């Protein structure tokens, strides 16, 4: 009998082995190798040389460009994500009012996100705001001077943030699903009590939506930290002007694949992983104060 | 039941093997023993892929029994693919090499010394010493140039006249240049689009008897910060005066040919390598001309830069066959009628001549310009050392800060030297 169950288990393992092998070969083992490399100096040509904590020391004390990339990324995340979520919620609420065309609208609004972080959208964004692009064309038609959207160190990052806000579709769809889940009776009851729309929004919609907000917040924050493609495409891989669009992942990429500092890049990746982990944990812990679960009977 | 388990185990083992096989990387081992299978890799555009394939087909037709596997990619992807292959000791037999990477591969023992093949397998009698020596790294021939380029000023003669300048004077100087730039500005056109920091600073240093890196590649090749201040101070001044577009515009339009002032007709010219002329002329779609670099001591400054090299991997098992292919590339007339100088002006004088009748007007201009400059050029400085990519990025950062007015050339000069020397010494083995 025992023998039989072993056989049954073996069959099971055989069937999930594609995943297990893939996971080991392409995720777990590379991760540990990268952890090892983060304590070495490695340029891909000569064997890795153990340097202990040197990479981390350089990162934290000897590399102003590292701190610049941290600053740029925090700015990108902490401005971009709230804006994006607010916008997504706003559009979701409009779409929730029950128009006949809702399917079409949903598709239209979701489109920029399907082509999401792709190269094509970034190139299109570049072209829209290029020197002879449509935006400058409109400005000039109105008699204003053209703006160098991606040439101005102050403006370039804002352009990246606007692009990320514009790709709000996926969070919008999740919000929409959440909004549909709130029972209309709540609103009816509130109307009977004479609540105006703003009151309804803050007393019914927001609390009942808070688990979804938490989910979107965490997912979007993590993906924002890892943003790479738009910054790479728009700054042609250089993070300029004046390192204004040098996001953390772009700087990591430059260290790894342009300067061949694989050890340093691995160390940067691990710091990022730990930082995102801690931030997610904090979000979870503080969520107790503001997330409302109906099933708990509203503690 | 037993059958099922056996089957499942087989599947698992198979998966394991294929997973390992894939990570091992490519078809390196296929038939290499007989010395008749070559792997060849290059980067480039679709047009380049197309004619390179035709050249390879031609070679295969003339050398029956030789099998050639090809690998190609865009420039960025090419180096990302090649580095792991080098780490795994599985480089292609023949590789297209770039000047900014060749030192790294050569110094790590990945490339074959080609000197023993020259004269026997690779005939280079019609190649000038100035050109061939660009493939030397530390005295060893690690690459055969596919073709050469030379720096110059590429401009629109009609717009130059409109700015009140009849022609670029022979042996022009920095003072002439500044005067002409201000004259152009007064007529409402830009004279140029500034100069790429690393390339032209190196040119400027060479005219003064220095170079960007020292011969060993362990530090910068100059010690006097006044040189930095003079060169980048001048460029920044022209930007400030409005004779050259603002750094904002330069950052915004960098690398986009269609947005360049020459193409838009708001700028007279641009400073770049001769092989970039054909593309510029095509997009600008109006008559263009080439002028030599400005002096004094232009002859000391200019050099024939190999557009790219052919190198042979030291791990290759078919080195003789690989050398024969390189010889075919350099000396075969029929092949070069397909190549048409797309990888730089051919290095063999004989081939250069035989290809000329088939060229377009712009291509002919480039060939003539390069021929005119070749006897004047001085030997190239050693190829950029390991770590140069980071040095160039650092230099570009400082220049950007200077041009945005955030710092001065005099302030940036010692900082750049300290940073660059630290990077270069970090990259010493």
């Amino acid at each position: 009998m025992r023998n039989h169950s072993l056989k049954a288990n073996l069959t099971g393992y055989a069937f999930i082995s594609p995943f297990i092998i893939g996971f080991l070969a392409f995720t777990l083992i590379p991760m540990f190798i990268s952890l090892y490399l983060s304590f070495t100096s490695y340029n891909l040509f000569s064997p890795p040389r153990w340097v202990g904590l040197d990479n981390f020391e350089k990162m934290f004390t000897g590399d102003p460009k590292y701190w610049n990339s941290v600053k740029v990324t925090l700015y990108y995340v902490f401005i971009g994500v709230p804006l994006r979520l607010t916008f997504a919620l706003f559009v979701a609420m409009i779409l929730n009012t029950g128009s006949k065309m809702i399917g079409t609208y949903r598709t239209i609004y979701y489109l920029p996100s399907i082509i999401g972080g792709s190269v094509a959208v970034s190139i299109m964004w570049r072209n829209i705001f290029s020197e002879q692009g449509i935006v400058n064309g409109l400005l000039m038609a109105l008699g204003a001077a053209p703006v160098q959207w991606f040439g101005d160190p102050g403006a370039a990052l804002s352009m990246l943030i606007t692009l990320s806000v514009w790709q709000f579709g996926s969070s919008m769809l999740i919000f929409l699903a959440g909004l549909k889940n709130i029972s209309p009776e709540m609103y009816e009851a509130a109307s009977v009590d004479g609540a105006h729309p703003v009151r309804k929004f803050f007393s019914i919609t927001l609390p009942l939506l808070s688990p979804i907000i938490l989910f979107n917040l965490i997912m979007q924050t993590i993906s924002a930290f890892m943003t790479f493609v738009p910054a790479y495409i728009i700054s042609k891989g250089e993070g300029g002007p004046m390192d204004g669009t040098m996001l953390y992942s772009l700087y990591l990429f430059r260290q790894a694949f342009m300067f061949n500092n694989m050890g340093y890049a691995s160390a940067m990746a691990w710091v990022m992983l730990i930082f995102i982990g801690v931030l997610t944990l904090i979000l979870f812990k503080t969520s107790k104060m503001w997330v409302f679960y109906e099933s708990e009977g509203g503690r | 039941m037993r059958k099922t388990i056996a089957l499942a185990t087989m599947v698992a083992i198979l998966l394991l093997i294929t997973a390992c096989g894939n990570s091992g990387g490519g078809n390196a081992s296929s038939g290499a023993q007989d010395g008749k299978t070559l792997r060849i890799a290059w980067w480039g555009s679709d047009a380049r892929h197309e004619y390179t394939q035709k050249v390879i087909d031609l070679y295969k037709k003339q050398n029956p029994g030789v099998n050639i596997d090809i690998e190609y990619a865009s420039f960025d992807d090419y180096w990302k693919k090649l580095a792991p292959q080098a780490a795994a000791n599985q480089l292609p037999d023949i590789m297209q090499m770039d000047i900014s990477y060749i030192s790294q591969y050569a110094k790590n023992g990945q490339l074959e010394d080609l000197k023993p093949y020259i004269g026997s397998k690779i005939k280079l009698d019609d190649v000038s010493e100035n050109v061939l020596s660009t493939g030397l790294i530390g005295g060893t021939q690690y690459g055969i140039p596919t073709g050469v380029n030379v720096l110059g000023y590429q401009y629109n003669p009609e717009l130059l006249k409109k700015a009140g300048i009849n022609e670029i004077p022979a042996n022009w100087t920095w003072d002439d240049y500044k005067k002409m730039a201000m004259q152009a500005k007064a007529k409402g056109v830009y004279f140029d689009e500034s100069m790429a920091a690393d390339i032209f600073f190196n040119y400027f240093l060479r005219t003064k008897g220095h170079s960007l890196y020292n011969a060993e590649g362990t530090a910068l090749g100059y010690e006097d910060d006044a040189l930095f201040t003079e060169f980048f101070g001048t460029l920044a001044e022209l930007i400030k005066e409005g004779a050259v577009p603002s750094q904002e515009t330069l950052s915004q339009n960098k690398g986009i040919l269609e947005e360049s002032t020459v193409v838009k007709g708001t700028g007279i010219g641009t400073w770049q390598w001769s092989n970039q002329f054909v593309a510029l002329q095509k997009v600008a779609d109006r008559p263009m001309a080439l002028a030599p670099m400005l002096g004094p001591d232009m002859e000391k400054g200019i050099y024939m830069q190999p557009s790219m090299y052919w190198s042979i991997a030291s791990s290759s098992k078919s080195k003789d066959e690989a050398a024969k292919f390189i010889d075919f590339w350099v000396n075969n007339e029929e092949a070069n009628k397909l190549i048409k100088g797309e990888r730089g002006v051919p290095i063999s004088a004989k081939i250069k001549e035989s290809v000329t009748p088939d060229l377009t007007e712009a291509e002919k201009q480039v060939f003539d310009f390069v021929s005119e400059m070749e006897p004047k050029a001085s030997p190239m400085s050693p190829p950029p050392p390991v770590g140069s990519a980071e040095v160039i990025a650092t230099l570009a950062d400082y220049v950007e800060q200077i041009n945005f007015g955030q710092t001065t050339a005099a302030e940036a000069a010692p900082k750049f030297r300290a940073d660059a020397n630290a990077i270069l010494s970090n990259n010493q083995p």
Side-chain angles (χ1 to χ4, degrees):
Chain A
M1 187 66 208
R2 185 180 291 164
N3 199 14
H4 180 79
S5 88
L6 177 72
K7 279 179 188 169
N9 283 348
L10 259 181
T11 318
Y13 284 125
F15 274 109
I16 58 165
S17 61
F19 169 77
I20 293 181
I21 292 166
F23 177 73
L24 286 178
F26 300 114
T27 306
L28 205 63
I29 295 172
M31 268 182 80
F32 279 105
I33 292 175
S34 125
L35 182 61
Y36 162 70
L37 288 179
S38 70
F39 298 105
T40 65
S41 166
Y42 181 44
N43 67 3
L44 276 177
F45 289 94
S46 17
R49 187 164 45 86
W50 186 266
V51 294
L53 292 172
D54 278 11
N55 285 329
F56 296 92
E57 197 187 326
K58 180 184 167 200
M59 204 183 301
F60 293 128
T61 58
D63 187 0
K65 294 194 76 154
Y66 173 80
W67 286 109
N68 173 68
S69 78
V70 170
K71 201 184 80 191
V72 169
T73 309
L74 289 179
Y75 191 83
Y76 177 82
V77 172
F78 289 125
I79 307 278
V81 171
L83 273 180
R84 185 180 188 163
L85 290 185
T86 314
F87 198 62
L89 181 56
F90 178 72
V91 175
M93 288 185 61
I94 293 176
L95 289 188
N96 196 32
T97 49
S99 152
K100 272 182 192 157
M101 297 277 286
I102 190 131
T104 317
Y105 288 138
R106 235 184 281 172
T107 313
I108 292 173
Y109 283 117
Y110 190 48
L111 265 181
S113 304
I114 294 181
I115 31 186
S118 83
V119 173
V121 171
S122 303
I123 292 179
M124 186 197 75
W125 200 248
R126 235 205 109 81
N127 287 343
I128 291 176
F129 291 95
S130 76
E131 189 171 8
Q132 290 169 313
I134 187 164
V135 174
N136 275 342
L138 282 174
L139 279 179
M140 288 199 285
L142 295 171
V147 179
Q148 310 291 353
W149 298 100
F150 297 114
D152 183 337
L157 185 58
S158 318
M159 298 312 299
L160 283 188
I161 293 177
T162 341
L163 173 59
S164 89
V165 171
W166 178 61
Q167 296 175 319
F168 60 89
S170 61
S171 12
M172 186 267 293
L173 275 193
I174 297 168
F175 276 138
L176 199 56
L179 287 172
K180 293 242 181 275
N181 252 340
I182 300 174
S183 80
E185 287 135 37
M186 295 254 194
Y187 292 109
E188 279 162 25
S191 298
V192 171
D193 286 343
H196 47 81
V198 179
R199 179 69 197 262
K200 277 190 217 165
F201 175 75
F202 282 106
S203 301
I204 300 173
T205 314
L206 267 192
L208 289 181
L209 211 56
S210 55
I212 306 219
I213 296 176
L214 176 69
F215 174 78
N216 267 340
L217 184 65
I218 288 175
M219 297 310 282
Q220 295 297 325
T221 306
I222 292 174
S223 78
F225 269 111
M226 299 193 298
T227 305
F228 170 76
V229 171
Y232 180 78
I233 299 288
I234 285 170
S235 75
K236 281 165 247 105
E238 293 179 359
M242 300 276 286
D243 289 338
T245 56
M246 186 70 88
L247 293 178
Y248 196 96
S249 55
L250 180 56
Y251 188 55
L252 192 158
F253 175 85
R254 280 173 71 80
Q255 286 290 348
F257 295 105
M258 296 191 60
F259 307 152
N260 278 354
N261 295 330
M262 290 292 167
Y264 191 63
S266 298
M268 278 186 71
W270 276 90
V271 169
M272 167 106 123
L273 177 77
I274 292 165
F275 182 79
I276 292 180
V278 169
L279 191 75
T280 311
L281 197 73
I282 292 173
L283 281 177
F284 264 117
K285 292 275 178 210
T286 56
S287 72
K288 284 202 180 108
M289 292 185 278
W290 58 273
V291 173
F292 173 87
Y293 292 102
E294 242 180 317
S295 55
E296 293 169 18
R299 273 187 293 176
Chain B
M1 191 65 216
R2 184 165 293 167
K3 246 185 186 167
T4 334
I5 295 166
L7 197 74
T9 325
M10 280 287 287
V11 169
I13 290 169
L14 210 70
L15 279 165
L16 203 77
I17 292 167
T18 47
C20 294
N22 276 338
S23 62
N27 41 7
S29 55
S30 62
Q33 297 86 343
D34 56 1
K36 287 285 184 188
T37 293
L38 286 176
R39 264 171 79 219
I40 175 168
W42 71 88
W43 74 84
S45 59
D46 285 344
R48 182 178 294 169
H49 304 331
E50 245 168 65
Y51 81 76
T52 306
Q53 180 64 62
K54 281 187 198 155
V55 173
I56 289 171
D57 291 342
L58 190 66
Y59 182 80
K60 283 205 287 203
K61 217 163 82 190
Q62 299 189 2
N63 297 273
V66 176
N67 191 25
I68 297 184
D69 293 335
I70 57 167
E71 293 170 20
Y72 55 80
S74 70
F75 186 81
D76 287 347
D77 289 340
Y78 182 78
W79 299 106
K80 273 183 253 155
K81 262 171 72 176
L82 212 57
Q85 290 184 358
N89 209 20
Q90 298 207 329
L91 284 172
D93 300 294
I94 308 174
M95 282 162 282
Q96 190 172 306
M97 269 284 147
D98 183 66
I99 188 159
S100 53
Y101 285 89
I102 194 166
S103 298
Q104 182 155 26
Y105 283 81
K107 289 229 168 99
N108 285 293
Q110 307 275 0
L111 303 183
E112 177 77 359
D113 177 12
L114 298 178
K115 207 156 252 163
Y117 300 89
I118 294 175
S120 58
K121 285 274 181 310
I122 309 174
K123 298 258 187 304
L124 297 173
D125 305 334
D126 303 311
V127 180
S128 95
E129 199 54 37
N130 250 353
V131 168
L132 194 58
S133 67
T134 58
L136 292 176
I137 291 126
T140 310
Q141 191 87 38
Y142 283 114
I144 304 291
T146 62
V148 283
N149 301 316
V150 65
L151 286 175
Y153 179 63
Q154 303 170 8
Y155 65 101
N156 172 355
E158 196 193 312
L159 207 55
L160 190 75
K161 279 208 183 76
K162 269 195 193 141
I165 309 161
N166 275 329
E167 58 179 333
I168 305 284
N171 303 321
W172 57 327
T173 64
W174 288 92
D175 285 333
D176 295 332
Y177 164 52
K178 279 184 260 183
K179 221 183 294 160
M180 286 156 70
M182 294 313 290
Q183 213 174 328
K185 182 219 161 188
K187 290 271 164 53
V189 289
Y190 296 120
F191 191 78
D192 62 43
E193 300 180 302
S194 206
M195 299 181 181
D198 56 317
I199 298 169
F200 289 92
F201 186 39
N202 185 36
Y203 166 77
F204 175 77
L205 290 169
R206 284 171 54 93
T207 63
K208 305 273 181 192
H210 305 277
S211 64
L212 188 50
Y213 307 104
N214 68 9
E216 301 77 35
T218 49
L220 291 180
Y222 70 99
E223 297 199 334
D224 184 2
D225 284 335
L227 292 165
F228 184 103
T229 311
E230 186 187 341
F231 181 74
F232 291 109
T234 306
L235 294 190
E237 189 61 28
L238 288 172
I239 290 176
K240 215 172 122 198
E241 293 282 356
V244 171
S246 71
Q247 181 62 41
E248 273 187 17
T249 311
L250 294 174
S251 300
Q252 165 109 8
N253 296 342
K254 198 160 139 212
I256 309 172
L257 203 50
E258 286 75 10
E259 303 264 326
S260 84
T261 57
V262 183
V263 173
K264 285 194 293 187
T266 55
I268 299 173
T270 188
W271 303 92
Q272 56 183 6
W273 292 107
S274 52
N275 67 329
Q276 294 167 301
F277 179 79
V278 175
L280 178 69
Q281 198 277 333
K282 210 169 177 182
V283 179
D285 199 21
R286 57 176 79 92
M288 300 274 298
L290 293 124
M293 289 300 295
L294 69 189
D297 291 324
M298 184 269 275
E299 281 86 354
K300 272 164 75 184
I302 58 163
Y303 53 97
M304 307 316 286
Q305 151 123 328
S307 342
M308 51 203 82
Y309 305 94
W310 288 122
S311 292
I312 298 180
S314 54
S315 60
S316 164
K317 287 177 185 141
S318 323
K319 286 172 192 157
D320 282 347
E321 196 59 43
K324 251 177 84 187
F325 180 83
I326 295 178
D327 178 72
F328 178 78
W329 190 277
V330 175
N331 293 314
N332 187 287
E333 229 170 85
E334 220 178 315
N336 274 282
K337 287 203 166 129
L338 295 166
I339 304 166
K340 279 179 84 180
E342 197 275 335
R343 279 173 163 99
V345 174
I347 60 171
S348 154
K350 224 162 96 194
I351 290 297
K352 213 185 317 185
E353 218 169 285
S354 71
V355 175
T356 309
D358 295 332
L359 299 177
T360 65
E361 191 49 44
E363 285 163 353
K364 217 171 271 171
Q365 278 176 286
V366 174
F367 272 50
D368 288 347
F369 182 70
V370 172
S371 298
E372 192 190 328
M373 291 296 129
E374 201 178 295
K376 297 181 183 168
S378 301
M380 189 178 80
S381 323
V386 183
S388 62
E390 205 171 344
V391 172
I392 292 169
T394 309
L395 177 62
D397 281 345
Y398 280 118
V399 172
E400 216 174 28
Q401 285 175 32
I402 296 167
N403 292 348
F404 270 121
Q406 306 239 336
T407 182
T408 64
E411 271 170 14
K415 286 191 205 155
F416 166 65
R417 213 151 51 79
D419 286 2
N421 286 339
I423 293 165
L424 291 171
S425 65
N426 270 347
N427 276 288
Q428 292 305 309

